[in-house]
Amino acid sequence: THSPSQYDNYISQNTALGQDSDGGYGGGIEVLGPAVANFSSVLALNTAPNGGGIAAIATENGPATVNVYTTDPNSPVSIYGNIATGWGGGIYLRPYIGNQNDARLCMNDFALDANTASDGSALYLWHDGYLGAVAYLNTPSECTPAPDAVACAPGTACNEMNDNVTQLEDGTPTDGSTVRVMLDGAFSASRFAARRNNSHGGNLIEFFAESGVSIGRDYVRLHDCVLADNIVGDHLLNGEQDGNGTQMILDTCTVANNQLSGGAAMAVIGADVNFIEVTNSIVYQPDHEVVEFHGAPGDLTSEYVLTNSAASLSGGFGIVEGTPAFVDVANGDYHLVRTSPGVDMAPVLGDVDLDGNPRAVDLLDIPNGWGTMDVGAYEIQTQIGTCAISDTIFCNGFDGL
C-alpha cells in the first residue's frame, strides 16, 4: 500500500475469526511465509485473537517478513487502535523452526499507538522451539530501507510507541507487557519514544531468553530513546534467561517519570541476563534503583549515567547522582535545560540524537565533564548568544535555558 495522503488507503475495522489457540491471526493483515509484505499506510481498529493489526507467520515453505515504513513525511505509517484478544495487539510474529525460517519485522519512521492485547499490546515476538522472532525498529544495519521510504517531517507524531494497554477483551488488566520478546528472539530499537503505555501488572519490555542453542540472538538493545510516563506493575525493563550469552543494552536513552507499582524495592531494570550495559543515559526514577542484576559484577557495564541513585551501578565509571532538570515534565518535554548536570557530560559519539540533531555539541558556557556530549536522548544545540545551523529561524540565544 501507499501513503494515506496520496490514496487515502486504510485497512480498518476488520476481524480475523478463530480461537486463540486455533487460527484467528492478523485482523488487518496476515503474512504467511514465504512472503514479504510492505506496508506504508494506516492500519486501524482491527481485531484478531493474535496479531490484531498484523500477524507474520513463517512456515515450512519459507520466512515471513513485514516492512513497515513511511512514504509521506507528513503522514507517518500508523498501526493504531488494534485489538488482540490473545497476543500482539499491534503486531504478532512467529517463526518456524523446521527450516529456521524467520518471522521478521523491519519498522522505520512509524507510529505504533493505542493497541490492546492480553500480552504484547504493541508487539509480540513469539518463538518456535529455540528459534525466536526478530524485530528491528530504525535499525538500518539489520534492515535495508525500502526505496520509497522517507523520514518523517520535523514536528510530526513519529517514531512513537504510545498509549498501548495490556488487558483482556472485557477490560480486565493483565500482567502482560507492551513489548514481549520470547525465547531466542531479538529486539533492537533506536530513535523512538515509548510513553503512557499501561502494562498494569507487567513490564514495558519483557525479554525471556533461552540460549541453550545459540544462533546469535537473545538480546534487547535500545538506543536514542525516551521511556517516560508509562505504568508498569514490575520492572520497566525485564530480562530473564535460561542459558548463556543473553544481553540487554540501554544507551543514550532518557528514562523518567514512570510509575512502577511494585513498590520502592522494584528496580527500573530487572536483569537476570548474562550481560547488561547502561551507558550515556539518564535513569531518573526517585525511590528506585537503576538495575537489579543477578550476574557477575564484571558483566555489568555502566558508564556516564545521570541518576537519582548510583548504588546499583557501583563499579561503574562516570556515574553522577543528581536531578536531570528537564524542560517541562508536566507536558512531556524531556529535553535538558542548560543547568542540568547531564549537559556536556560524556565522551563524543559520532551519531545524532532523537531529534535527528548532531551529538556532542560543546556548549561553550558549560564546563565539560568527561566529554562534550549530553547524556540521554537529546542534545542541546544552541550556544548562548549564537544560533546553531539547525535552528536559524527561531534561535534567539536563549534556546535550551
Side-chain angles (χ1 to χ4, degrees):
T1 57
H2 295 273
S3 162
S5 64
Q6 287 180 296
Y7 302 109
D8 290 329
N9 282 337
Y10 291 81
I11 299 176
S12 181
Q13 302 182 61
N14 302 286
T15 299
L17 301 176
Q19 303 299 317
D20 291 358
S21 60
D22 182 23
Y25 294 95
I29 299 173
E30 183 182 31
V31 183
L32 292 175
V36 176
N38 297 323
F39 182 76
S40 57
S41 187
V42 174
L43 186 69
L45 308 177
N46 301 286
T47 303
N50 297 296
I54 299 174
I57 303 172
T59 70
E60 61 181 356
N61 298 315
T65 298
V66 178
N67 298 314
V68 177
Y69 58 95
T70 288
T71 54
D72 181 340
N74 297 303
S75 299
V77 60
S78 178
I79 300 175
Y80 175 85
N82 301 284
I83 298 172
T85 55
W87 299 338
I91 301 173
Y92 170 91
L93 307 173
R94 190 181 77 194
Y96 181 79
I97 193 173
N99 301 338
Q100 292 202 6
N101 287 328
D102 269 334
R104 170 183 289 243
L105 170 68
C106 293
M107 190 154 57
N108 296 276
D109 298 288
F110 61 91
L112 182 60
D113 297 336
N115 301 285
T116 302
S118 65
D119 199 359
S121 55
L123 179 61
Y124 197 104
L125 279 60
W126 187 230
H127 69 102
D128 187 17
Y130 63 81
L131 182 66
V134 294
Y136 302 108
L137 280 56
N138 293 323
T139 310
S141 61
E142 299 289 349
C143 297
T144 302
D148 55 343
V150 299
C152 293
T156 59
C158 189
N159 290 317
E160 60 180 33
M161 187 188 302
N162 298 342
D163 302 304
N164 300 283
V165 180
T166 58
Q167 62 185 30
L168 299 178
E169 193 173 7
D170 63 3
T172 302
T174 71
D175 60 357
S177 300
T178 303
V179 175
R180 171 76 72 170
V181 184
M182 288 300 291
L183 304 179
D184 297 276
F187 179 66
S188 181
S190 299
R191 294 193 300 106
F192 78 102
R195 304 172 187 257
R196 301 182 305 277
N197 298 285
N198 191 339
S199 295
H200 293 292
N203 316 100
L204 180 68
I205 299 175
E206 166 77 6
F207 169 42
F208 186 81
E210 183 178 23
S211 54
V213 179
S214 177
I215 54 174
R217 295 182 179 173
D218 285 317
Y219 61 79
V220 168
R221 300 170 181 168
L222 309 178
H223 299 272
D224 291 313
C225 67
V226 170
L227 312 179
D229 305 302
N230 301 287
I231 299 173
V232 297
D234 198 76
H235 305 288
L236 188 75
L237 309 177
N238 191 46
E240 301 178 19
Q241 62 91 23
D242 179 15
N244 299 308
T246 56
Q247 180 191 61
M248 294 180 70
I249 293 176
L250 182 76
D251 178 65
T252 52
C253 287
T254 297
V255 181
N257 206 38
N258 300 284
Q259 296 182 41
L260 282 66
S261 60
M266 189 65 64
V268 177
I269 304 171
D272 188 10
V273 292
N274 297 116
F275 305 99
I276 180 169
E277 299 177 18
V278 183
T279 53
N280 306 302
S281 293
I282 297 169
V283 183
Y284 189 72
Q285 292 287 155
D287 301 323
H288 297 278
E289 291 295 336
V290 175
V291 62
E292 178 185 339
F293 180 52
H294 301 140
D299 293 334
L300 167 60
T301 300
S302 55
E303 295 179 341
Y304 315 111
V305 179
L306 173 59
T307 180
N308 53 279
S309 176
S312 64
L313 301 179
S314 61
F317 184 78
I319 311 300
V320 174
E321 284 192 359
T323 302
F326 298 117
V327 169
D328 188 358
V329 171
N331 290 297
D333 189 343
Y334 290 94
H335 292 76
L336 296 176
V337 301
R338 300 182 85 90
T339 54
S340 170
V343 173
D344 282 7
M345 175 179 156
V348 173
L349 291 177
D351 206 344
V352 295
D353 70 359
L354 184 55
D355 287 333
N357 292 321
R359 281 287 187 184
V361 176
D362 186 4
L363 302 183
L364 302 181
D365 57 307
I366 305 297
N368 295 336
W370 293 272
T372 60
M373 187 181 77
D374 303 346
V375 293
Y378 302 108
E379 182 83 9
I380 295 177
Q381 298 293 303
T382 56
Q383 305 287 357
I384 289 292
T386 65
C387 283
I389 294 174
S390 62
D391 192 14
T392 58
I393 298 176
F394 299 105
C395 177
N396 58 13
F398 295 96
D399 291 21
L401 286 174

